[in-house]
């Protein structure tokens, strides 16, 4: 069992399972609609040169999200 950290702390190339994410907020509603939900495995593909935004791989496709939003998503590293 891995440590629970925020998605923003996951290193590039690292995979993790989403454990918790906010249930309110337009950004998180949109992310849930795009398949980012507790229990799925994601991979942090890369971050922009200044560290923001982050690119993640979810269910075979890639999403970008702001690092500030990623801080609210708890993941368990694989």
């Amino acid at each position: 069992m891995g440590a629970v950290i925020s998605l923003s702390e996951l290193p590039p190339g690292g995979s993790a399972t989403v454990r918790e994410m906010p249930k309110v907020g337009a950004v998180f509603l949109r992310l849930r609609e795009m398949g980012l939900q507790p229990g799925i495995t994601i991979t942090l593909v890369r971050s922009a040169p200044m560290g923001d935004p982050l690119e993640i791989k979810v269910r075979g496709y890639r999403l970008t999200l702001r690092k500030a939003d990623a801080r609210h998503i708890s993941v368990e590293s694989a």
Side-chain angles (χ1 to χ4, degrees), residues 5-7 20-21 28 36 65 69-75:
I5 57 176
S6 78
L7 177 56
E20 264 188 87
M21 55 188 295
F28 300 108
L36 187 66
L65 67 157
D69 295 330
R71 285 188 187 111
H72 298 286
I73 299 172
S74 298
V75 297

Side-chain angles (χ1 to χ4, degrees), residues 50-61:
M50 299 299 285
D52 196 19
L54 305 175
E55 181 178 340
I56 61 173
K57 187 173 182 181
V58 180
R59 300 178 191 249
Y61 62 92

Side-chain angles (χ1 to χ4, degrees), residues 3-78:
V4 176
I5 57 176
S6 78
L7 177 56
S8 64
E9 298 174 86
L10 193 67
S15 293
T17 303
V18 175
R19 289 296 170 215
E20 264 188 87
M21 55 188 295
K23 294 175 176 54
V24 296
V27 171
F28 300 108
L29 174 62
R30 183 75 177 136
L31 290 173
R32 280 195 301 276
E33 289 174 346
M34 292 190 292
L36 187 66
Q37 299 177 344
I40 67 159
T41 301
I42 61 171
T43 301
L44 180 61
V45 178
R46 63 182 169 188
S47 61
M50 299 299 285
D52 196 19
L54 305 175
E55 181 178 340
I56 61 173
K57 187 173 182 181
V58 180
R59 300 178 191 249
Y61 62 92
R62 295 177 180 198
L63 297 173
T64 56
L65 67 157
R66 289 182 284 174
K67 196 170 189 175
D69 295 330
R71 285 188 187 111
H72 298 286
I73 299 172
S74 298
V75 297
E76 183 176 334
S77 58

